[in-house]
Amino acid sequence: MRFNLHNNMVYKFRVILDTEEDIFRDIAILEEDTLEDFHNAIVNAFGFDGMEAASFYLCDDQWQQADQEISLFDMGEDDSSLAMASTMINQVLDKDQTKIIYVYDFMSMWTFFVELGAIEDHEPSLTYPSVLFSHGELPDSMPTKNFTSESMDSDLEDDFDSEDFDIFDGDDSFEDFDYPEDNWN
């Protein structure tokens, strides 16, 4: 962790493990931190050892994965490949692009749905990244999933109720953030 000495904005995310049970972490991180910093925050928040490969994948508002992968290591395959260490969070996520998929350990395929919930001024008394809230325990192993777009859509509809997404309940700082209606809650 590092101390925030600048007037950077803070991105607040909900990171949801793709399981039947509600397992998620709310993480605050500086907008100009890298995706590698965010990867490390997710690894620490969920208690992984950090020894496995991981990638972020761009997606649309319905969690349909795009072709763009941002890997932990520079794959050097072509000019369009991105590495987490050289990609700042605010280069791929903002108030218009709020969702991204994160996969940790390609043997176990721990899959997370990551959604930007708020962009706020930093609090000088906090260090970033910071886990704001933790819900649910990580299972010993990732349950087997059927990875089709239809199963992902129905899983997301069935697994969560509206209370699951109230991470900043009572926080009026969202009033200035112009969300599309279907993005959050």
Side-chain angles (χ1 to χ4, degrees):
M1 284 188 206
R2 63 187 167 99
F3 290 97
N4 182 13
L5 302 175
H6 306 288
N7 194 20
N8 292 337
M9 298 303 288
V10 173
Y11 278 24
K12 291 184 176 180
F13 290 96
R14 172 150 292 169
V15 182
I16 306 166
L17 179 61
D18 183 22
T19 61
E20 292 291 324
E21 301 80 29
D22 293 346
I23 302 170
F24 60 87
R25 306 293 183 262
D26 296 336
I27 298 173
I29 189 165
L30 297 173
E31 69 175 329
E32 293 180 354
D33 280 344
T34 65
L35 285 176
E36 184 176 25
D37 296 325
F38 193 29
H39 152 78
N40 290 329
I42 294 170
V43 164
N44 291 329
F46 283 92
F48 292 118
D49 63 14
M51 302 303 292
E52 303 298 333
S55 287
F56 286 97
Y57 297 91
L58 298 184
C59 64
D60 63 19
D61 285 341
Q62 285 72 46
W63 300 104
Q64 298 297 315
Q65 183 176 319
D67 291 335
Q68 185 67 55
E69 175 182 6
I70 306 166
S71 59
L72 183 56
F73 306 106
D74 184 0
M75 303 303 253
E77 294 174 9
D78 57 46
D79 292 337
S80 67
S81 65
L82 298 174
M84 289 183 201
S86 59
T87 306
M88 290 187 300
I89 292 171
N90 64 3
Q91 289 178 298
V92 294
L93 294 161
D94 58 30
K95 68 178 184 165
D96 297 319
Q97 176 61 45
T98 61
K99 296 178 179 179
I100 196 165
I101 297 170
Y102 172 73
V103 176
Y104 176 79
D105 184 355
F106 295 110
M107 297 299 290
S108 298
M109 294 297 289
W110 294 95
T111 303
F112 298 84
F113 300 103
V114 179
E115 187 166 15
L116 177 62
I119 299 174
E120 301 176 350
D121 290 328
H122 80 281
E123 296 179 34
S125 62
L126 292 179
T127 57
Y128 297 98
S130 180
V131 176
L132 304 173
F133 185 76
S134 178
H135 178 81
E137 295 296 320
L138 194 68
D140 291 334
S141 63
M142 185 63 199
T144 304
K145 294 292 286 184
N146 179 9
F147 290 103
T148 65
S149 62
E150 291 173 9
S151 70
M152 287 177 68
D153 289 342
S154 66
D155 284 351
L156 285 174
E157 291 170 7
D158 295 340
D159 286 353
F160 305 105
D161 57 33
S162 62
E163 291 178 9
D164 291 334
F165 293 99
D166 260 343
I167 68 173
F168 306 110
D169 191 27
D171 185 350
D172 61 0
S173 60
F174 289 159
E175 293 173 5
D176 296 332
F177 195 76
D178 188 24
Y179 283 116
E181 286 296 320
D182 61 345
N183 254 13
W184 196 260
N185 284 352

